[in-house]
Amino acid sequence: MPKVLITPKSFANYKASVYPLIIEQGYDIIENNLGRTMTEAEIVEQAREGVVGIIIGVDPLPAEVLAQCKDLRAVSKYGMGMDNIDQDKAKELGIQLRNAAGSNHISVAEHAIGLLFALARNIPHIVASVKQGHWERSMGIELTGKTIGVIGGGQIGREVALRAKGIGMQPVIYDPFLRDDSFLEANGMGRIHQLELLLEQADVVSLHLPYTPQTKHLINEETLARMKSSALLINTSRGELVDEDALYAALTSGGIAGAAQDVFSVEPPEAGHQLLQLDRFLLTSHTGAFTKEAVARMATLSTQNLLDMLNAPTEQKA
């Protein structure tokens, strides 16, 4: 019987509703029971033969793994970003790909705004201080009236802009691939066509774009130098978008006022990483999409996407 490999750790929480959909289509299910992200070798061990579909989380699917999955016909992403999958190799092999678009954009946007409030009002530092028996105040800043530069005008970036506008901020969006200004016009938002101008004008810069060779280290020594010394940086996209050494230098020199991320270049970061020693750097554990509502939507949509792909006529694999 053909098999489906399911790698996301949280997927099993919704097995009662989605597993029957897979089983009734005639597929056996292989679960990731490791309690962690699977390695390349572990994926190959499970999917080398007989696995026709994979529902993948953040686990790696590079070219060499895809090439060894002899019967694989479809990969469904449990989430949005597909930078952990070699999409060119998948296309070469005739493996269909689809992500769970529209399932987690609300949760990630809310997390981005939450990180912004935490950073603007020094909330983590104050809470930790009070729990240690202190009763000291730490001056924050108001967000009302501030300009938030949203880099990336996709679903998440738009939701962040809407929420920022709702709390009295002035959103501007930079996205060279945005072809339709109707969203901006309908919501009274501005657009900037040059990244340099956005960085120079924004009080807050929020990143909402995929990781590609072109976006690697988009935030670097040069771009950080263009930002206001009072500016805050929010990153809920991918850790590789930010040059972490350059960010550390900017934070310790006063180049920018603070940064908060839900992502890191290596997750989890190594113990004692220099950025983790800074009060003005906040890091959460890639939890932006990890809400009950988003996870339920991702489980349902990624399952349906996989079954749709497996049931569709496909070309013979190379």
Side-chain angles (χ1 to χ4, degrees):
M1 184 176 290
K3 294 173 282 189
V4 167
L5 172 62
I6 299 174
T7 73
K9 300 184 291 295
S10 62
F11 198 97
N13 296 330
Y14 300 90
K15 63 169 61 178
S17 60
V18 296
Y19 277 22
L21 301 176
I22 300 172
I23 294 169
E24 71 184 16
Q25 292 286 323
Y27 302 107
D28 281 340
I29 295 173
I30 303 174
E31 290 183 312
N32 172 11
N33 294 316
L34 299 171
R36 57 169 171 76
T37 299
M38 297 179 73
T39 65
E40 294 179 18
E42 289 164 345
I43 292 173
V44 171
E45 180 182 358
Q46 295 291 346
R48 189 187 302 275
E49 293 183 352
V51 168
V52 296
I54 298 177
I55 296 177
I56 198 79
V58 296
D59 320 76
L61 282 181
E64 52 270 28
V65 171
L66 293 171
Q68 294 182 72
C69 298
K70 300 176 182 178
D71 301 308
L72 186 60
R73 292 165 38 208
V75 174
S76 178
K77 180 60 189 272
Y78 180 72
M80 283 288 291
M82 296 202 291
D83 50 276
N84 58 318
I85 306 167
D86 191 315
Q87 297 175 62
D88 291 335
K89 188 64 174 181
K91 183 177 181 180
E92 175 190 326
L93 294 171
I95 299 170
Q96 298 180 81
L97 299 177
R98 195 174 298 179
N99 64 6
S103 60
N104 63 18
H105 58 296
I106 299 296
S107 293
V108 177
E110 289 182 354
H111 194 71
I113 296 297
L115 287 174
L116 177 54
F117 272 115
L119 195 58
R121 299 305 300 269
N122 306 314
I123 292 172
H125 173 74
I126 295 170
V127 170
S129 177
V130 170
K131 287 187 173 183
Q132 292 169 3
H134 306 293
W135 196 254
E136 300 170 351
R137 296 191 297 176
S138 178
M139 185 172 290
I141 61 168
E142 289 185 351
L143 296 174
T144 299
K146 300 292 194 299
T147 296
I148 179 170
V150 177
I151 301 179
Q155 285 185 312
I156 297 173
R158 294 183 186 198
E159 293 294 341
V160 168
L162 286 172
R163 282 155 181 74
K165 186 176 177 65
I167 59 174
M169 301 186 75
Q170 303 297 320
V172 292
I173 291 180
Y174 167 78
D175 189 336
F177 301 102
L178 186 62
R179 298 289 178 255
D180 183 3
D181 285 344
S182 58
F183 169 83
L184 302 176
E185 295 166 358
N187 292 284
M189 297 178 188
R191 181 177 185 182
I192 292 182
H193 293 277
Q194 292 180 283
L195 177 61
E196 294 79 7
L197 291 179
L198 179 142
L199 295 171
E200 292 167 0
Q201 296 177 18
D203 300 295
V204 176
V205 173
S206 193
L207 305 179
H208 303 286
L209 64 168
Y211 168 62
T212 67
Q214 291 72 38
T215 61
K216 181 178 181 179
H217 290 177
L218 180 75
I219 302 301
N220 53 47
E221 182 179 1
E222 180 181 346
T223 51
L224 285 163
R226 291 184 175 273
M227 295 172 62
K228 298 178 179 180
S229 60
S230 58
L232 305 177
L233 175 68
I234 308 294
N235 182 12
T236 55
S237 294
R238 287 293 184 267
E240 294 88 347
L241 301 180
V242 176
D243 181 334
E244 289 159 1
D245 289 334
L247 178 60
Y248 178 82
L251 289 170
T252 53
S253 68
I256 66 171
Q261 300 193 165
D262 186 44
V263 290
F264 215 67
S265 61
V266 176
E267 298 179 358
E270 62 186 53
H273 192 284
Q274 59 184 1
L275 278 169
L276 301 183
Q277 313 308 310
L278 303 179
D279 288 340
R280 296 301 292 164
F281 177 77
L282 307 181
L283 180 65
T284 52
S285 52
H286 208 143
T287 193
F290 198 58
T291 63
K292 292 180 180 179
E293 296 83 357
V295 171
R297 288 192 295 265
M298 286 191 296
T300 300
L301 185 53
S302 60
T303 298
Q304 193 58 60
N305 282 343
L306 183 69
L307 294 175
D308 288 346
M309 288 187 287
L310 291 176
N311 290 333
T314 58
E315 297 180 3
Q316 187 70 25
K317 282 182 63 174

